[in-house]
Amino acid sequence: MDTRLLKKFSLSLLAIAFASMPVLSQAQTQKLASQVVDEHAEHIFYSSGAMGMALVVVDKNQQVFRSFGETRAGSGQRPREDSLIRIASLTKLMTSEVLVKLAEQGTVKVTDPLRKYAPGSAFVPYYSPTSPMTLLNLATHTAGLPREQPGGAPHRPVFTWPNRAERWSWLQTAKLTVPPGSHASYSNLGFDLLSDALADAAHQPYPQLFRQLITQPNGMVDTTFTPTAAQCSRLMEGLRPSPCLNTIAAQGSGGVYSTPADMGRWMKQFLPNAAGQQSPTAALAQKMYFRRTDLVSLKGMDVPGQAYELGMGWITMAPTPLLPRIIQKTGGGGGFITYMAMVPQRGVGVFIVVTRSELTKFKNMSDGVNDLVADLVRNNEI
């Protein structure tokens, strides 16, 4: 063969080889969700200082469960998908979902004043007659209420006080010092009052409404306020555990018991369907209503990173060079810490629960989860 022809032929083959390399490289670089999870999960557990940890990751059509540590000190048993847990303040996300679904049905409007659903002739305080406390204010922590109702017995079990009658009795003498919608201050009391209002609007007890709108549609078999003895036997325990009791008193703010399996089922509804669309209900539930810059002040919502926008329970953190825009919620109580972090438009959601030890640090855990979320998003973009 002519030398010049041979050289031209060799260069052509080389060009074809180089042209095909990016395609091969992409195919080889993209990982399974389980591989990405395994690069982070153990580090999250050990850096958190937790006694036990369960992690559920949903990445489009992939779901991954991982666990570490013990269900309780000395048990030698790793947490399982059916281990009973307290989701604590992630309860608020479910309360907001009840609000959204009742609004879709026309039973309530999110802008309705709380006084519309006050039991009997109960008084609801207001800053001025023209700026009442609304259901939306309660759901976005902008009602001007304290974090907790003042009083109550010290060292009581978590999520057992105040009950419905006690909080409405306290409200009769309460005063608002800021106009609703101007300041954001984290309030468990506000979400319990919200759940009371939703029950009154629907004319049924809140636990019944919760089953009808949350647990049954999502196939959540172990999610409840009133665990059975069999369920309590599966309850994980951390530092200073609280007894496994009826927690209807905190039905709106923190009383939900669940399992990692049920939380995975619940989280899926917020991710896009096969056509890449988020359901209208999920979009409304995760809608943002206030930017930090719209408010005079914002307190109690910066634990996993600075809050940028406030929704109904959900909070977004602004994107950074290392992290995407994450929508998230934190929780804690009774020896548990919980966190849910999602990038719904990328089909990524992470739920984590850890049980406390003397060394547990929330930020160590949430930083690791945020990094995991970012890596899952980057992996999907390959």
Side-chain angles (χ1 to χ4, degrees):
M1 183 181 290
D2 183 271
T3 305
R4 286 175 297 175
L5 185 60
L6 180 61
K7 185 175 182 181
K8 186 180 293 185
F9 180 69
S10 299
L11 287 172
S12 298
L13 288 175
L14 193 60
I16 291 169
F18 274 112
S20 66
M21 281 181 68
V23 176
L24 291 172
S25 175
Q26 285 183 3
Q28 292 168 349
T29 301
Q30 190 168 36
K31 303 170 186 175
L32 295 172
S34 58
Q35 293 174 297
V36 180
V37 171
D38 287 338
E39 291 171 358
H40 291 264
E42 191 170 19
H43 171 73
I44 293 171
F45 172 63
Y46 284 110
S47 64
S48 73
M51 185 179 299
M53 180 183 102
L55 178 73
V56 181
V57 173
V58 179
D59 184 1
K60 295 183 178 177
N61 63 345
Q62 303 175 74
Q63 183 163 328
V64 183
F65 172 75
R66 294 289 184 268
S67 69
F68 297 89
E70 298 180 296
T71 55
R72 57 180 60 88
S75 71
Q77 182 181 12
R78 276 193 178 199
R80 305 183 314 189
E81 289 184 271
D82 69 345
S83 292
L84 196 69
I85 59 174
R86 298 177 187 274
I87 69 168
S89 281
L90 268 64
T91 298
K92 295 177 177 66
L93 303 180
M94 296 179 183
T95 311
S96 294
E97 186 182 345
V98 173
L99 171 58
V100 165
K101 289 181 173 178
L102 289 181
E104 287 181 318
Q105 295 172 9
T107 304
V108 301
K109 295 179 181 177
V110 299
T111 53
D112 282 343
L114 175 61
R115 66 180 177 229
K116 182 175 180 179
Y117 306 107
S121 57
F123 172 74
V124 176
Y126 53 86
Y127 181 78
S128 74
T130 57
S131 54
M133 183 191 311
T134 68
L135 303 185
L136 180 61
N137 293 140
L138 294 170
T140 55
H141 301 286
T142 60
L145 293 169
R147 184 183 182 102
E148 309 291 349
Q149 179 175 315
H155 312 300
R156 61 184 178 272
V158 294
F159 312 128
T160 58
W161 184 90
N163 62 28
R164 178 187 170 108
E166 289 165 332
R167 54 183 166 261
W168 283 94
S169 175
W170 173 84
L171 201 60
Q172 304 311 291
T173 57
K175 297 185 184 301
L176 297 187
T177 59
V178 296
S182 62
H183 296 68
S185 184
Y186 197 87
S187 177
N188 290 311
L189 175 62
F191 266 85
D192 286 326
L193 290 167
L194 175 59
S195 67
D196 295 338
L198 297 176
D200 279 14
H203 305 293
Q204 56 184 303
Y206 187 78
Q208 181 180 328
L209 187 63
F210 183 79
R211 286 193 300 273
Q212 177 186 323
L213 297 180
I214 305 296
T215 61
Q216 290 177 349
N218 291 294
M220 301 166 76
V221 297
D222 276 313
T223 300
T224 183
F225 302 105
T226 54
T228 64
Q231 288 172 318
C232 285
S233 70
R234 292 186 267 126
L235 181 65
M236 291 172 63
E237 290 184 4
L239 183 68
R240 292 184 287 278
S242 205
C244 191
L245 300 171
N246 175 321
T247 51
I248 288 174
Q251 61 192 13
S253 65
V256 170
Y257 293 88
S258 191
T259 62
D262 272 5
M263 292 304 293
R265 294 181 184 105
W266 185 77
M267 185 164 56
K268 283 181 180 178
Q269 69 180 311
F270 296 100
L271 302 180
N273 57 25
Q277 300 296 315
Q278 191 181 40
S279 77
T281 302
L284 284 171
Q286 293 189 324
K287 180 180 177 180
M288 294 294 114
Y289 288 90
F290 295 94
R291 284 191 175 180
R292 190 184 196 102
T293 51
D294 297 332
L295 300 161
V296 177
S297 65
L298 188 153
K299 297 178 182 177
M301 287 164 270
D302 292 326
V303 177
Q306 189 176 71
Y308 173 62
E309 297 170 309
L310 301 185
M312 294 190 291
W314 293 99
I315 298 166
T316 64
M317 300 184 298
T320 71
L322 296 178
L323 298 176
R325 175 185 179 272
I326 293 174
I327 182 167
Q328 51 81 13
K329 180 71 186 79
T330 61
F336 288 85
I337 292 176
T338 56
Y339 184 45
M340 185 171 284
M342 305 186 71
V343 184
Q345 67 273 25
R346 294 289 185 267
V348 171
V350 176
F351 166 74
I352 187 169
V353 56
V354 302
T355 46
R356 288 182 180 273
S357 74
E358 294 286 359
L359 303 175
T360 306
K361 302 291 184 185
F362 191 103
K363 194 70 163 58
N364 290 359
M365 176 270 282
S366 60
D367 282 352
V369 171
N370 292 340
D371 289 342
L372 168 58
V373 168
D375 270 2
L376 288 165
V377 170
R378 281 191 286 269
N379 187 56
N380 284 341
E381 293 173 348
I382 292 173

